[in-house]
Amino acid sequence: MSGIGALGEFGLIKALTTGLPGASGLLCGPGDDCAIVQMGNTRVLLSCDAMIEEVHFRRDWMTPEAIGRKAAAVALSDIAAMGGAARCLLITLGCPANTETEYLSRLYAGVSDLTRQFDVPVAGGDTVRTLNGIMLDIAVVGEMAPDVEPRYRSGAKPGDIIAVSGYPGSAALGMTALERGDAEQTALIEAHTRPRPRLKEGAWLARQTGVHAMIDVSDGLAQDLGHIAERSGVRVVIEKDKLPVSQEMRSYAPTTGRAPEEYALSGGEDYELAFTIAPDAEADVCAHFTAAFDLPLTCIGTVQEGEPAVLLNGHPITQRGFDHFAAGK
């Protein structure tokens, strides 16, 4: 029997979920940013995300408030990717028995700081003992507005334009700055430690008929666009010179021995939104988006017919992004 490293994270998910029973009310199961369940007249969104000490965060890099805030932001981002509205959170906290109560109170204060901004209460949860390290697993309950359709990963169509918000790759460069002790890289470090879920932006995009597919950029832009390609049965073609690169990325990336475009493609944990737009709606969607939100929006490529793949300037991308179980991780 081979280990799960041979499967990788997404191969493992497929192996675990293949053959699971469905139900008449399950509108969307494994394979998208959220599950969607029809409950009466309401389409309920369900998702969960875990943050594990020494895997997703280190205490010497982040305050407990920042850890809690980021955990909540990561969980809420899945709702944003569907274009839904978040309604409440449930938190499972795991920690060693000798963890200081004050530290945990500060961690939950960070959760509260973010949830107050978006009016999403903490409705409950669970606490368990771990042998080593802190774990925060946050489940989110949301819903789709009655007059809005979810934006699935499977909605991309040949001819669509690919757009992305913000500057993907900034968070990965911020983590590198933390590893190297380059504290002066404040903008990049904040991108890693204080991501913002794009709930308002996602809800707005879901109301635009020209927006077809959407995903949040959690594992790297190329990898997450690969999920759209796979689910939609299309080819995603990115143009390198169109990738959004901030001045901070352009200045700092060369000191790490890598080009900023590499970070833009394979860096994870940005929680920006990547989506596809019908070509006749591109100008209108982009103009109104930039007018409504203080956030860059960049068109980086096109959707084409063909076997599911992600190409950069016509060539397959080999370095895709983060995988929890890939060999060598």
Side-chain angles (χ1 to χ4, degrees):
M1 180 180 293
S2 62
I4 59 177
L7 288 174
E9 178 181 356
F10 304 104
L12 175 62
I13 292 171
K14 183 176 181 180
L16 294 176
T17 57
T18 298
L20 288 178
S24 59
L26 183 62
L27 305 180
C28 179
D32 221 299
D33 287 282
C34 293
I36 305 180
V37 180
Q38 186 75 46
M39 294 185 179
N41 294 325
T42 303
R43 291 165 298 170
V44 177
L45 304 177
L46 301 167
S47 182
C48 62
D49 271 285
M51 283 184 60
I52 311 294
E53 187 172 356
E54 299 298 334
V55 176
H56 299 96
F57 66 89
R58 283 173 44 177
R59 296 198 206 188
D60 56 335
W61 286 357
M62 299 171 67
T63 66
E65 291 87 354
I67 293 167
R69 187 186 187 285
K70 182 172 181 178
V74 169
L76 290 171
S77 183
D78 285 333
I79 302 291
M82 303 296 285
R87 294 304 182 213
C88 68
L89 303 180
L90 299 165
I91 304 176
T92 295
L93 167 70
C95 62
N98 62 355
T99 308
E100 294 182 0
T101 304
E102 180 186 356
Y103 186 93
L104 298 178
S105 296
R106 291 176 60 191
L107 190 150
Y108 269 64
V111 173
S112 297
D113 176 56
L114 188 82
T115 56
R116 275 197 298 268
Q117 292 181 39
F118 293 97
D119 193 25
V120 184
V122 175
D126 191 19
T127 55
V128 296
R129 181 172 68 92
T130 63
L131 298 181
N132 293 290
I134 290 175
M135 177 203 73
L136 272 177
D137 186 17
I138 300 186
V140 187
V141 179
E143 65 178 321
M144 293 303 304
D147 58 338
V148 177
E149 290 304 312
R151 289 309 188 260
Y152 298 109
R153 299 176 180 183
S154 57
K157 306 176 188 300
D160 278 359
I161 308 299
I162 302 161
V164 64
S165 67
Y167 296 105
S170 298
L173 265 171
M175 185 176 72
T176 298
L178 288 167
E179 291 173 335
R180 297 171 63 179
D182 293 336
E184 71 278 5
Q185 299 297 327
T186 53
L188 297 173
I189 289 172
E190 184 163 306
H192 177 74
T193 59
R194 294 178 63 86
R196 184 176 180 83
R198 302 301 184 186
L199 285 166
K200 292 180 180 178
E201 295 87 343
W204 184 89
L205 287 166
R207 290 185 177 276
Q208 312 309 306
T209 56
V211 174
H212 292 155
M214 188 155 59
I215 192 169
D216 69 332
V217 183
S218 56
D219 295 320
L221 181 59
Q223 183 146 284
D224 290 318
L225 287 175
H227 297 322
I228 287 181
E230 180 85 16
R231 298 283 290 182
S232 297
V234 296
R235 178 168 294 183
V236 167
V237 181
I238 301 169
E239 296 181 45
K240 183 178 179 180
D241 62 358
K242 291 186 177 180
L243 288 168
V245 175
S246 69
Q247 184 56 53
E248 292 84 359
M249 293 172 66
R250 196 172 300 282
S251 298
Y252 188 60
T255 72
T256 73
R258 296 175 60 190
E261 291 82 5
E262 291 184 61
Y263 284 97
L265 286 170
S266 62
E269 296 197 309
D270 293 287
Y271 304 101
E272 296 292 351
L273 295 175
F275 53 97
T276 75
I277 319 169
D280 60 355
E282 175 195 0
D284 184 68
V285 169
C286 292
H288 284 87
F289 183 95
T290 53
F293 305 105
D294 182 22
L295 183 64
L297 184 68
T298 309
C299 294
I300 62 171
T302 58
V303 176
Q304 300 179 7
E305 293 183 351
E307 289 296 315
V310 180
L311 307 180
L312 180 66
N313 291 353
H315 302 286
I317 297 176
T318 55
Q319 187 177 4
R320 293 284 290 271
F322 184 75
D323 185 320
H324 274 281
F325 299 106
K329 292 291 183 185

